[in-house]
Amino acid sequence: MNSFWRRYEKIIEIDSFLPIRQEFEFMRASSYKKNETLGEGFRLRTMRFRGQISQGLLMPISTFSEIPENAALGEDGFHVTGHNYEYKDDGKSSFYELVKKMNLEEKMRTFVRENGKRVGLNRMLEVCKALELQSVPIEEVGTDLPSKYPTVEALLERSDGEYPNGGKKEGIVIRPTEPIYCPLISASLSMKVVNNKYLLKNED
């Protein structure tokens, strides 16, 4: 099982807008889009397969010849992204201008990971304060979460709800307050529970 995860390392999340290239042509019938800003490509959508909701795409890293299999963290560059788009440093993006004004690239390269590892909750909040950034809302902290939410259905119900501004909540992220490395996924434990009601409501 470990060798499977080492070979299949490139995970593409839903809402990604993928370029026209041979590796993604199998998605043309279901996912081809023409966007005024991004041009032609394939939008990775939430879909149902055999009654189950699919929330991403897993592909072998070897599929992409431009990515070295032994690439180290940070070699794929610094990017400024929104929910659906990646913004260019072309003088036209207010997001990029804010990043440069706050000197976030240099700060983030210093703070985001320490000693090559993900930091815990308290340290993350310290980093956010140092970067003058607001963290996402922390809804719940405790040691009894497995007993409170013992099933997938319970977790999905927990992920449902609305933001303070009235918008439908996208979901929740669950992770230990201090990072725990998992050999099975070759990374620190982290789980995203996506609100299915949000997904189905916002799909084309």
Side-chain angles (χ1 to χ4, degrees):
M1 181 65 73
N2 286 347
S3 62
F4 173 88
W5 285 105
R6 283 197 296 269
R7 288 186 289 113
Y8 290 82
E9 292 177 337
K10 188 167 183 61
I11 300 173
I12 305 172
E13 296 187 359
I14 54 173
D15 286 333
S16 297
F17 193 81
L18 307 176
I20 298 292
R21 53 186 291 172
Q22 187 59 40
E23 292 85 351
F24 303 129
E25 280 296 324
F26 71 94
M27 301 172 58
R28 180 170 289 275
S30 62
S31 306
Y32 173 81
K33 295 290 181 183
K34 190 170 184 179
N35 183 281
E36 291 183 2
T37 303
L38 302 177
E40 296 181 282
F42 306 105
R43 181 192 171 208
L44 189 60
R45 304 183 297 113
T46 301
M47 302 184 73
R48 287 184 182 272
F49 295 99
R50 298 181 180 177
Q52 300 297 315
I53 293 181
S54 171
Q55 299 174 352
L57 176 65
L58 187 67
M59 299 183 72
I61 196 87
S62 58
T63 303
F64 307 93
S65 59
E66 66 271 28
I67 303 178
E69 291 195 12
N70 60 347
L73 178 68
E75 290 183 3
D76 296 331
F78 180 83
H79 304 267
V80 177
T81 64
H83 184 67
N84 294 316
Y85 308 116
E86 177 176 340
Y87 300 97
K88 294 182 179 180
D89 185 11
D90 56 5
K92 300 178 182 179
S93 169
S94 58
F95 291 99
Y96 232 115
E97 295 307 309
L98 178 62
V99 165
K100 290 190 286 188
K101 180 180 180 180
M102 297 181 66
N103 196 27
L104 287 182
E105 179 176 359
E106 181 179 343
K107 291 179 180 178
M108 291 183 73
R109 289 188 184 279
T110 301
F111 281 112
V112 170
R113 286 178 180 244
E114 298 180 345
N115 299 321
K117 298 179 181 179
R118 175 181 288 166
V119 299
L121 174 62
N122 291 334
R123 179 57 178 156
M124 182 199 75
L125 294 176
E126 291 176 357
V127 169
C128 287
K129 184 177 180 180
L131 295 177
E132 301 179 1
L133 297 174
Q134 183 177 354
S135 73
V136 298
I138 299 172
E139 296 193 354
E140 187 172 356
V141 178
T143 58
D144 60 342
L145 298 184
S147 60
K148 291 178 67 176
Y149 311 107
T151 65
V152 172
E153 290 73 20
L155 286 172
L156 288 172
E157 183 178 354
R158 179 65 178 82
S159 72
D160 193 14
E162 295 182 346
Y163 294 120
N165 64 4
K168 178 65 70 175
K169 190 163 65 174
E170 295 184 39
I172 57 175
V173 175
I174 302 173
R175 62 178 52 162
T177 54
E178 290 298 323
I180 297 177
Y181 180 80
C182 176
L184 182 63
I185 62 174
S186 301
S188 297
L189 286 174
S190 182
M191 180 174 70
K192 185 175 183 180
V193 183
V194 182
N195 181 4
N196 287 341
K197 295 179 182 178
Y198 170 87
L199 290 176
L200 297 174
K201 178 181 178 181
N202 288 275
E203 282 303 313
D204 293 337

